[in-house]
Amino acid sequence: MRVLERLDELYAIGGGPGANRPHPSAAEDDAHRLASSWLEEAGLEVEVDRHGNLFGHAQSAESGEKVSDTVSDTVWVGSHLDTVPQGGRFDGALGVVAAIEAIERVGAGSVAVFRGEEVGCIGSRARVAAGDPLPTTFLELHVEQGPVLADADAPLGVVTGIVGYARGEFVLEGRAGHAGTTPMTGREDALVAAAAEVLRVRDAALAIDDAVATIGRVEVEPGGSNVIPSRVRLSLDVRAPDAERLDALVAAIGFEPDYRVEPAQFEGSARAALRDVIAARGLSVVELPSGAGHDAGILATAGVQAAMLFVRSLNGGVSHSPDELSSNEDVALAVDVLTDALAATTR
């Protein structure tokens, strides 16, 4: 299957270990050039917008001209090609190569390859902010990046929406002192106070269904191995499926976010098309939220009928890692379902 061969070609760009096509980089540019050659090979009209996003538009079989002023021209399918350092083989790339395959089979719609998804959906956000034309429908295939589908023994899942998230920090103050001469009683150790905050943040998230909270960065001052910490800075990343639970989590933790992205819900005909296609194949329809951000979420909040199809992740659902894995059989099934959903939305 060309999808698997193309995944291998993209994975080789940037050198290992893993996928190394960060935004912006020469490796990301190389990946876009390679994808552009595949679009031309598929007979699509290639376009690069002012933000660097790459498109491949289906053309009329009779005239060879770009399909325009039709329903099919308002359907985009795609994802991104940038990666985190030492990322996985499938993240983003699968959605792009599957989109090319699906549109080549159906002969309608447009492939969309966005820039900089891993660093905040740079390309899709720029297009929305600039008021550039958007599709009426956007379909995105992506690996799950988690264990839910594997635990459910389901090859595919329909995404209900993308969680909202808020980011900020805590700063804990203490008093520095000599590690050997200051008695344990009476110490003002900022790191000990921070440890209690880490556990409190965890418990706040556990108390709210489907909420998560992460402290991924700890900065300790003055940072000497023989000095009692006087100041600790903790990063906060909290997420929840809807605004109500996100608000509740932020309030329970008690911090002022300096960055917030609202949840995006996938509703309407595009999501229904994925459900119908999966059900028609006699498979159980598993629905689940996405705990990670995607370009589909940016377009959904801009009013696009967006939908996402997840393919089962193996290896415990690990992602953003060379250990990221989905089976060839699941990938082939996902491409077929994406193709059928595209055909349904471009009739």
Side-chain angles (χ1 to χ4, degrees):
M1 184 167 59
R2 286 175 299 178
V3 165
L4 300 176
E5 295 170 358
R6 287 171 172 172
L7 284 174
D8 287 341
E9 290 186 57
L10 288 168
Y11 197 52
I13 294 174
N20 291 280
R21 304 186 301 272
H23 175 84
S25 69
E28 185 191 23
D29 293 342
D30 288 344
H32 272 245
R33 279 190 287 270
L34 180 58
S36 180
S37 72
W38 293 334
L39 297 176
E40 292 178 353
E41 179 185 322
L44 306 179
E45 179 185 339
V46 176
E47 174 193 359
V48 178
D49 71 10
R50 54 181 166 164
H51 316 294
N53 301 311
L54 173 66
F55 296 90
H57 306 291
Q59 302 182 73
S60 168
E62 291 78 19
S63 65
E65 297 296 322
K66 174 184 171 182
V67 177
S68 59
D69 300 323
T70 67
V71 173
S72 63
D73 192 48
T74 65
V75 179
W76 294 358
V77 189
S79 194
H80 64 97
L81 290 176
D82 66 302
T83 71
V84 298
Q86 299 185 21
R89 177 173 180 246
F90 299 90
D91 185 356
L94 175 59
V96 171
V97 296
I100 298 172
E101 180 78 14
I103 287 179
E104 190 173 13
R105 292 183 192 177
V106 175
S110 297
V111 176
V113 188
F114 292 110
R115 288 280 187 168
E117 188 269 359
E118 296 289 1
V119 289
C121 299
I122 298 296
S124 55
R125 285 186 188 276
R127 192 168 179 97
V128 168
D132 293 343
L134 298 175
T136 57
T137 302
F138 180 66
L139 301 174
E140 183 170 4
L141 170 63
H142 206 281
V143 288
E144 181 198 346
Q145 300 179 284
V148 173
L149 293 176
D151 290 346
D153 194 25
L156 304 176
V158 178
V159 181
T160 57
I162 294 178
V163 300
Y165 60 92
R167 291 175 179 162
E169 64 179 23
F170 273 145
V171 177
L172 290 304
E173 302 284 356
R175 185 174 63 183
H178 194 290
T181 62
T182 307
M184 292 301 293
T185 57
R187 288 191 179 199
E188 296 179 28
D189 189 327
L191 187 55
V192 171
E197 285 299 292
V198 171
L199 295 176
R200 189 179 69 83
V201 168
R202 178 201 63 183
D203 291 343
L206 285 170
I208 299 173
D209 287 343
D210 298 322
V212 296
T214 302
I215 293 174
R217 187 178 66 251
V218 179
E219 297 176 3
V220 181
E221 298 176 13
S225 61
N226 61 345
V227 183
I228 297 168
S230 62
R231 195 169 197 261
V232 176
R233 188 184 302 270
L234 303 175
S235 68
L236 280 169
D237 180 306
V238 304
R239 306 186 184 211
D242 52 57
E244 292 75 18
R245 279 178 279 186
L246 184 59
D247 289 340
L249 182 57
V250 170
I253 293 173
F255 76 106
E256 217 33 71
D258 53 34
Y259 185 72
R260 174 166 170 150
V261 173
E262 296 301 321
Q265 299 302 316
F266 296 148
E267 298 173 335
S269 59
R271 177 175 160 189
L274 290 173
R275 287 176 51 91
D276 291 346
V277 169
I278 292 173
R281 290 175 172 268
L283 300 172
S284 297
V285 179
V286 177
E287 296 188 293
L288 69 166
S290 171
H294 298 284
D295 292 306
I298 304 303
L299 297 182
T301 57
V304 174
Q305 283 278 337
M308 290 191 72
L309 177 68
F310 274 171
V311 61
R312 173 169 48 192
S313 289
L314 305 177
N315 280 350
V318 66
S319 186
H320 283 183
S321 161
D323 294 331
E324 184 178 85
L325 179 66
S326 291
S327 73
N328 293 349
E329 294 77 15
D330 286 351
V331 167
L333 175 62
V335 173
D336 289 342
V337 167
L338 181 69
T339 300
D340 290 349
L342 172 64
T345 56
T346 53
R347 289 195 183 106

